[in-house]
Amino acid sequence: MTGPDLLPSLQPSLQPSLLTHLLRQGDRALVLAQRLGQVITHAPELEEDMAIANISLDLIGQARHLYTYAGEVEGLGHDENHFAYWRSAEEFLNPQLVEQPNGDFAVTIVRQFFHDAYALHYWESMEASSDATLAALAARARKETAFHLRHSQGWVVRLGDGTDESHRRAQLAIDSLWRFTSDLASIPDETELHDSGVVPDSEVGERWRDTVVAALADATLDIPASTSTSTGTSTGAGTDMASSGWQGHHSSHLGPLLEELQALTRAHPGAEW
Amino acid sequence: MEAQDRFDAIIAADERIEADDWMPDDYRSTLIRQVAQHAHSEIIGMQPEGEWIPRAPSLRRKAILTAKVQDEAGHGLYLYGATETLGVERADLLDLLHSRKQKYSSIFNYPALTWADVGAIGWLVDGAAITNQVPLCRCSYGPYGRAMVRVCKEESFHQRQGFQIMLTLAEGTDEQKAMAQGALDRWWWPSIMMFGPPDTESVHNARNMAWGIKRYTNDELRQNFVDMTIPQAELLGLTMPDPDLRWNEERGHYDYGEPDWEEFMQMVRGEGEMPAQRIRVRKSAHDDGAWVREAAEAYAQKHEAAA
Ligand SMILES: [Fe+2]
Ligand SMILES: [Fe+2]
């Protein structure tokens, strides 16, 4: 076997960190799409089945682009399906938030809102990436993500400011998911990518926090009290970086999710579908 | 002109009855029953395929299947929209579905056991649906006919995607080929029974033909479907599970065997575990979502009042 076939446009020293970055973002999109795929046909109304399917579709599309590009950057001839179907849970680099179970509609929506607020600021910043492939992808993904955020934020406000029951459920969802938001504050060890302008913005986390604080106030919902006693990170969720999903540390929920996603494909190695 | 005469004249001229036009009570209730059953079929039909979205074997197939199930939800929405023009609300029709007072196509009471079933459903079930629905684009009731135009375009896309899945499997490994043959064996007879009982036993054929709701009889549609599908099956190189199937030179059509109508009637009556499961899933989504719909309404009311 020969070594990787590097892209001529890519600075060789950036290759490992760019590959990791693409897998982190691709896994983020795919794992959340997979969770949403489990909701379709179980949504509170038909319009919601359609909206959730639509968001899931966009995320699958984003993951496919990111994985395809990851394959080019890696230079070993791997395609999108390799990264989705033939890696194990320890190799997945998504934030833990997106692997959390669907729960009730409040959990599904709050998880989506926390994610979308991150994803929108991420893609906005990536439009200025020095990497032309990523900048082009960001232009499209930003528009899609703006719709996703409008949808999830709209629901968070309606649930928070709806009935007593919906308020209670939304607050419970926030409280239970809050600890997973530390991953959204920043991605560790991407300094090289920041310095080279491939990932131009290192302050997505601050912007994420501003969006979340404003929307939750609008929704009459509270940010969990642990915020004020947090250590260091700007989101205040305070989980330490060693447990970050971006580094391959996961909750017990990722394994079964991947098992369902991958089982059929893995039962037929080499088959076309 | 009397209202009835005007209605008769529109039907005789093969023009469209619109929502605001007078129509006989029987015509209205027949349409409500048919369009509601059709809408229910679209949304129950999301289940067998929806179960495969998380398990789809490639990202491309996952995307295509997600889009398909989304389309079916959209079909349900247009059709419930058409029933609203006839004076019935979606919420009330859903209650009738959940309490099993209204039916859906019994084809969706069969389980999708393997990935190949997703292919067979697209190819055969959407194929049969198109055969049924293309004539409905000319239905005498305007809103239903127009909904069907949009639906049929998407169904033919589904049918091609389903065929593509079958073709890839049929050209694949021995295991994939066996998977495709198994799905064809399971779905062929149920598909041709989708056109309903034989003409000799169909109760509503004549009246619905006279009203321009139905354009062809059950057996005519079934024959169209068989004639369209056999050449496609030959392309796949799979074996049709009907030993009586052969080209009839004289008739210019394929002859085919007699379906098991007793099984069909069991399915229509909704006996057994699968129908119970389909309704259970639908009803739990609806019931679990009640607090969400209430919240949305409470929020809208608060903010309407404030505005
Ligand atoms: Fe449909
Ligand atoms: Fe369809």
Side-chain angles (χ1 to χ4, degrees):
Chain A
M1 199 168 160
T2 57
D5 193 1
L6 287 185
L7 287 177
S9 58
L10 185 68
Q11 209 180 302
S13 66
L14 287 180
Q15 193 253 6
S17 48
L18 178 57
L19 176 59
T20 301
H21 180 86
L22 293 169
L23 294 178
R24 283 169 170 161
Q25 296 297 336
D27 294 347
R28 165 181 66 74
L30 177 65
V31 170
L32 185 56
Q34 180 72 2
R35 277 289 178 232
L36 295 178
Q38 297 167 336
V39 178
I40 301 166
T41 74
H42 302 280
E45 54 191 5
L46 271 178
E47 287 84 348
E48 250 341 270
D49 274 322
M50 293 183 75
I52 287 170
N54 204 42
I55 295 163
S56 183
L57 262 178
D58 286 342
L59 289 168
I60 296 169
Q62 292 170 12
R64 293 178 68 186
H65 283 289
L66 288 159
Y67 287 153
T68 299
Y69 188 36
E72 291 166 16
V73 168
E74 185 194 39
L76 296 174
H78 287 143
D79 67 0
E80 57 182 34
N81 290 318
H82 167 81
F83 296 110
Y85 289 92
W86 297 96
R87 289 186 306 142
S88 60
E90 308 83 73
E91 295 168 275
F92 266 70
L93 301 175
N94 56 280
Q96 290 190 18
L97 174 76
V98 295
E99 74 205 31
Q100 298 311 307
N102 289 317
D104 66 5
F105 186 70
V107 171
T108 299
I109 278 298
V110 167
R111 183 188 62 201
Q112 190 70 34
F113 166 66
F114 285 160
H115 166 271
D116 293 344
Y118 165 80
L120 180 64
H121 295 307
Y122 167 74
W123 287 122
E124 273 173 357
S125 74
M126 292 303 287
E127 284 185 276
S129 172
S130 60
D131 182 296
T133 308
L134 270 171
L137 175 55
R140 201 184 92 176
R142 180 191 48 84
K143 287 187 201 126
E144 293 170 349
T145 310
F147 278 107
H148 304 171
L149 179 61
R150 191 182 306 170
H151 174 261
S152 57
Q153 185 169 336
W155 269 117
V156 167
V157 171
R158 270 175 286 171
L159 295 184
D161 192 16
T163 62
D164 289 346
E165 181 178 11
S166 69
H167 181 90
R168 183 180 57 77
R169 286 178 184 258
Q171 189 62 58
L172 267 176
I174 290 166
D175 295 348
S176 68
L177 291 171
W178 187 253
R179 65 196 179 93
F180 299 109
T181 60
S182 61
D183 277 346
L184 307 181
S186 68
I187 304 184
D189 61 336
E190 293 205 314
T191 322
E192 276 175 277
L193 295 176
H194 294 314
D195 293 347
S196 62
V198 172
V199 180
D201 189 343
S202 56
E203 287 169 7
V204 169
E206 275 89 82
R207 270 185 271 283
W208 175 85
R209 186 181 164 81
D210 292 344
T211 300
V212 168
V213 168
L216 294 189
D218 223 17
T220 70
L221 292 162
D222 297 325
I223 289 191
S226 64
T227 319
S228 49
T229 62
S230 72
T231 54
T233 73
S234 61
T235 62
T239 315
D240 80 89
M241 280 304 168
S243 67
S244 168
W246 301 121
Q247 308 275 49
H249 299 282
H250 294 288
S251 61
S252 61
H253 302 295
L254 183 63
L257 176 145
L258 292 179
E259 166 71 26
E260 185 179 42
L261 188 146
Q262 298 172 336
L264 173 59
T265 314
R266 288 183 171 217
H268 302 267
E272 298 282 331
W273 300 96
Chain B
M1 204 193 279
E2 290 287 315
Q4 176 76 52
D5 294 339
R6 209 181 97 73
F7 174 85
D8 292 342
I10 293 174
I11 297 289
D14 203 9
E15 284 165 7
R16 299 286 164 269
I17 305 291
E18 293 301 332
D20 297 335
D21 292 337
W22 181 88
M23 61 189 89
D25 290 345
D26 280 1
Y27 177 87
R28 185 185 296 271
S29 60
T30 298
L31 270 168
I32 290 173
R33 198 193 55 200
Q34 178 170 336
V35 182
Q37 177 166 336
H38 190 168
H40 298 331
S41 303
E42 298 285 354
I43 67 168
I44 295 288
M46 293 164 68
Q47 286 184 34
E49 291 182 287
E51 290 164 8
W52 279 96
I53 290 174
R55 296 179 284 170
S58 75
L59 294 181
R60 184 168 152 265
R61 290 289 172 210
K62 190 189 284 290
I64 292 171
L65 184 58
T66 302
K68 184 192 181 204
V69 174
Q70 184 191 28
D71 286 348
E72 306 300 4
H75 299 170
L77 273 183
Y78 311 148
L79 288 163
Y80 287 119
T83 62
E84 280 170 12
T85 69
L86 292 161
V88 281
E89 294 297 315
R90 191 207 314 180
D92 297 328
L93 294 176
L94 286 176
D95 287 343
L96 291 170
L97 170 65
H98 298 155
S99 58
R100 302 181 70 161
K101 292 193 181 99
Q102 283 185 341
K103 294 189 187 315
Y104 55 87
S105 173
S106 39
I107 191 76
F108 300 117
N109 288 335
Y110 293 88
L113 298 178
T114 71
W115 171 251
D117 292 52
V118 172
I121 291 173
W123 173 40
L124 299 173
V125 175
D126 286 77
I130 295 165
T131 309
N132 247 329
Q133 289 168 16
V134 166
L136 286 174
C137 297
R138 296 190 292 123
C139 173
S140 60
Y141 186 60
Y144 188 32
R146 287 189 291 274
M148 279 300 101
V149 173
R150 207 164 152 188
V151 167
C152 281
K153 268 185 210 151
E154 293 179 349
E155 300 297 11
S156 59
F157 194 65
H158 300 166
Q159 200 261 353
R160 279 202 299 277
Q161 299 292 359
F163 183 78
Q164 277 303 320
I165 291 177
M166 292 300 277
L167 188 61
T168 311
L169 294 174
E171 290 173 344
T173 65
D174 289 348
E175 282 164 308
Q176 286 178 305
K177 225 172 287 178
M179 204 189 274
Q181 183 65 53
L184 174 57
D185 293 348
R186 282 192 293 282
W187 288 92
W188 173 249
W189 290 107
S191 308
I192 72 168
M193 289 193 275
M194 278 175 72
F195 298 94
D199 293 347
T200 48
E201 282 160 49
S202 179
V203 268
H204 300 299
N205 260 340
R207 195 190 55 179
N208 290 352
M209 300 271 272
W211 269 339
I213 294 175
K214 214 170 158 56
R215 300 284 176 174
Y216 300 97
T217 70
N218 293 355
D219 285 335
E220 286 168 342
L221 292 167
R222 191 171 1 255
Q223 184 72 61
N224 282 351
F225 174 69
V226 171
D227 291 347
M228 173 185 89
T229 308
I230 300 312
Q232 297 171 355
E234 282 166 2
L235 225 63
L236 293 175
L238 298 174
T239 310
M240 297 301 291
D242 178 0
D244 297 327
L245 198 68
R246 63 184 54 85
W247 177 251
N248 183 325
E249 195 64 58
E250 231 167 275
R251 293 202 306 127
H253 291 292
Y254 285 93
D255 291 337
Y256 54 92
E258 192 65 20
D260 181 352
W261 292 112
E262 184 38 42
E263 179 189 295
F264 174 76
M265 287 318 296
Q266 269 173 24
M267 283 295 178
V268 170
R269 288 193 299 267
E271 292 163 2
E273 169 50 24
M274 279 312 293
Q277 181 188 319
R278 295 290 183 235
I279 294 297
R280 203 160 52 231
V281 168
R282 181 84 266 295
K283 203 171 154 353
S284 76
H286 188 76
D287 294 348
D288 293 349
W291 69 269
V292 178
R293 297 189 299 274
E294 282 159 21
E297 204 175 313
Y299 179 86
Q301 270 171 13
K302 266 188 231 178
H303 290 263
E304 210 171 284

